[in-house]
Amino acid sequence: MSHSCGVDFGTSNSTVGCIRPGASLLLPLEDGKATLPSVVFFNAEDNTTTFGRAALADYLSGYEGRLMRSMKSLLGTGLMDGQTEVQGRAVPFRELLAQFLRELRLRAEQSAQRQFTHAVFGRPVHFVDDDATADKLAENTLLDLARKAGFADVAFQFEPIAAAFTYESGIQREELVLVIDIGGGTSDFTLVRLSPEGTTKAERHDDILATGGVHIGGTDFDKYLSLAGVMPMLGLGTRLTNNNEVPSSYYFNLATWHTINFAYSQKVWRELQDVYRDAQEREKLARLLKLVDQRDGHWLAQKVEEGKIALSDADAVPLLLDRLAPDLAFTLRRGAFNTAIAHLIESIRTSVSGLLADAGVGVDGVDTVFFTGGSSGVPLLRQEIASMFPAAAHVEGDLFGSIGAGLAIDAARKFS
C-alpha cells in the first residue's frame, strides 16, 4: 500500500489523489465529492472551525465569525507574514494555511484508509510574476507548511505538467500538447510532447518544450466583474461634496477574496462614516456601510462568482442583493464582463505567445490544446485561444480534477 499522494492545493478548490487499483485517482474529501473548497470558517458563537462547503454554509447562514478563502493567494506576498484576528486572538496566516493543509491530509487519509507521508504538491509555473527570488520564497513557504501539516517528504510539480500526465494516460499516438490551466489564482501553460510510451517514463524533462504563466485567475475575473458591475451600486466612482472621488481602496479590498477582511477594521469603519457624511450619493454609500457593518463581503463575492459562472451559459444574469436593500437587483451582462476582463485575457494571450516563441514552435505545430482549471470555461478566454489555434484539437479535461489526478500519477513515479 503506497503512502504517497498528489496534493492540488488550489486557490478556490483543493484535491488529493493516489493510485488505487480499480478506483478513481481522486479521493472523496467532503460529502462524497473529490473537491474541498479552500475555505475555513472560524465560528465565534460556538468556538468551532469548519472547512470547505460546510464553512461556506456556516458563514452564509449568518453565524458570527471569520471566513478565510483564497488563502493560497497569500503565498509570495508580504501578507504571508501577517496575521488576522480569529476568535479574539491574533493568528499568523502561516498557521491558518497549515491548519487547512492538515485538514486536507486527514480527510484524504480517512478516505483512503492509509497514512500519507510522501506527497507531490502542485505549484503554479509562477507564484510571483517576474521575480525569481519571491517565487522561490513562495515555494519554500509551501514546503514548510506541507511539513507542518504532517507530510515528511514533499516534492513539487508544475500544475499544467500534472494535468498533461492525466491527458497522456488516454491518448493513442504522440501529440504536441499545449496545456492551458486557468485556476483560481494563476494561469499556467506548458507545451509538452506526450505519447503512450511516455506514461512509463520516470523523467520527462526532455519532453517539455516550454512552460509559462501569469498571475491571473478566476478570482481576478471575479474582482473585475465586481468592480465593473456591482461596486458602482455601492458608491464606486461617485463623488464627495468637494468633487473628489470616493476612495476606491475600500471597493478593491471587498472585490478581492483574500483582502475582504481588511474592510472590517475599526479604522476603516470610522473612515467610511466620514466618507458617508461627505458623499454626494449617500444612498449608495449607505449600502456600502450596511455591507461592512454586517460583514457581508464574502456573501457579495459569492454572489458575483455565481454570476460569473452563470454568464458562461447566458448573455445576461439577474443579481439580487436584498441583504443590502429590499428588492435591490440588477443584471450582469456578458458583454460588460468581457469588457471588464479584456486586459486580463490579453495578458494571458501574450503569455501563451511568449511560450510558443520560447519553444520555437508555430501555432500550426500544436496538435492539441488541453483545457483544465475551474476558470478555463470563460467564453472570452475560449474564443481568444480558439482564434490563436484554429487548426488544433480543443480538449476539455476535468476542470477541477485533472491536476490532482496527474499529481497522483507523478507521486507514484517519484516515491514508488
Side-chain angles (χ1 to χ4, degrees):
M1 183 181 292
S2 173
H3 294 281
S4 65
C5 65
V7 180
D8 178 19
F9 170 41
T11 302
S12 300
N13 293 278
S14 296
T15 64
V16 180
C18 70
I19 302 296
R20 297 182 298 162
S24 169
L25 290 171
L26 295 181
L27 296 163
L29 299 175
E30 183 182 25
D31 298 332
K33 297 180 175 63
T35 56
L36 180 69
S38 303
V39 183
V40 183
F41 181 65
F42 302 94
N43 190 319
E45 295 183 25
D46 56 14
N47 199 33
T48 58
T49 303
T50 50
F51 301 86
R53 294 170 187 82
L56 282 172
D58 284 350
Y59 170 78
L60 294 175
S61 295
Y63 288 106
E64 185 70 24
R66 175 60 58 90
L67 186 80
M68 298 294 296
R69 187 174 178 182
S70 296
M71 296 173 288
K72 184 180 178 181
S73 297
L74 297 169
L75 292 170
T77 74
L79 297 174
M80 191 65 238
D81 292 318
Q83 58 189 26
T84 188
E85 184 178 324
V86 173
Q87 296 168 346
R89 66 186 184 96
V91 179
F93 286 125
R94 288 175 182 267
E95 182 179 324
L96 297 180
L97 267 70
Q99 183 176 0
F100 179 80
L101 293 179
R102 189 178 303 112
E103 178 70 17
L104 194 62
R105 177 182 63 81
L106 292 173
R107 290 187 183 217
E109 290 179 341
Q110 182 177 18
S111 181
Q113 293 297 294
R114 70 184 77 167
Q115 281 190 313
F116 289 125
T117 55
H118 298 61
V120 174
F121 270 69
R123 58 148 293 169
V125 174
H126 300 299
F127 278 110
V128 182
D129 295 340
D130 303 318
D131 190 335
T133 300
D135 188 82
K136 185 60 178 176
L137 177 62
E139 183 183 281
N140 289 341
T141 300
L142 182 54
L143 174 62
D144 180 59
L145 294 173
R147 287 173 174 164
K148 287 181 178 178
F151 294 105
D153 198 347
V154 177
F156 290 98
Q157 181 59 269
F158 289 141
E159 290 161 355
I161 294 176
F165 293 155
T166 304
Y167 176 65
E168 186 176 49
S169 65
I171 64 176
Q172 304 300 317
R173 61 178 179 82
E174 183 178 291
E175 298 179 24
L176 185 59
V177 179
L178 173 64
V179 181
I180 304 286
D181 170 26
I182 313 296
T186 59
S187 296
D188 296 302
F189 320 107
T190 291
L191 189 63
V192 58
R193 197 170 302 283
L194 303 177
S195 67
E197 296 75 24
T199 59
T200 63
K201 296 181 181 179
E203 176 53 57
R204 303 303 301 274
H205 184 269
D206 292 341
D207 292 327
I208 300 167
L209 278 66
T211 58
V214 62
H215 205 261
I216 293 171
T219 56
D220 299 289
F221 297 151
D222 295 345
K223 172 182 176 179
Y224 284 96
L225 176 59
S226 181
L227 290 171
V230 179
M231 292 303 171
M233 303 288 292
L234 277 63
L236 177 62
T238 62
R239 296 191 175 274
L240 303 172
T241 52
N242 62 9
N243 213 36
N244 290 334
E245 276 198 7
V246 172
S248 63
S249 59
Y250 311 119
Y251 303 99
F252 273 80
N253 280 340
L254 287 167
T256 306
W257 276 104
H258 64 278
T259 61
I260 289 172
N261 287 320
F262 294 172
Y264 301 149
S265 71
Q266 288 298 315
K267 177 177 179 293
V268 168
W269 180 247
R270 289 192 297 269
E271 290 174 359
L272 286 175
Q273 289 175 317
D274 291 338
V275 170
Y276 171 77
R277 282 191 290 270
D278 292 334
Q280 293 186 21
E281 299 182 52
R282 284 190 173 182
E283 73 283 0
K284 294 181 178 180
L285 269 297
R287 296 168 187 161
L288 176 63
L289 283 171
K290 187 173 184 179
L291 177 81
V292 173
D293 185 45
Q294 296 178 164
R295 299 199 170 192
D296 274 338
H298 289 93
W299 166 81
L300 180 61
Q302 184 79 14
K303 299 286 286 187
V304 172
E305 183 183 38
E306 290 169 358
K308 175 197 69 176
I309 293 170
L311 286 174
S312 292
D313 299 312
D315 290 328
V317 175
L319 193 68
L320 179 64
L321 301 180
D322 52 345
R323 283 199 187 188
L324 304 182
D327 302 321
L328 177 62
F330 58 100
T331 301
L332 294 175
R333 300 190 182 278
R334 185 187 290 183
F337 177 44
N338 289 347
T339 299
I341 65 170
H343 67 294
L344 303 178
I345 301 300
E346 181 59 30
S347 293
I348 291 172
R349 184 183 179 115
T350 299
S351 183
V352 171
S353 296
L355 177 86
L356 295 177
D358 291 343
V361 173
V363 294
D364 292 337
V366 177
D367 298 308
T368 304
V369 179
F370 180 74
F371 292 96
T372 189
S375 298
S376 66
V378 171
L380 182 61
L381 171 71
R382 290 294 182 97
Q383 293 167 19
E384 288 298 312
I385 299 299
S387 70
M388 293 180 72
F389 301 95
H394 290 217
V395 177
E396 182 174 292
D398 181 343
L399 297 187
F400 296 100
S402 293
I403 294 172
L407 292 170
I409 293 169
D410 201 33
R413 290 172 180 165
K414 282 185 165 68
F415 296 119
S416 62

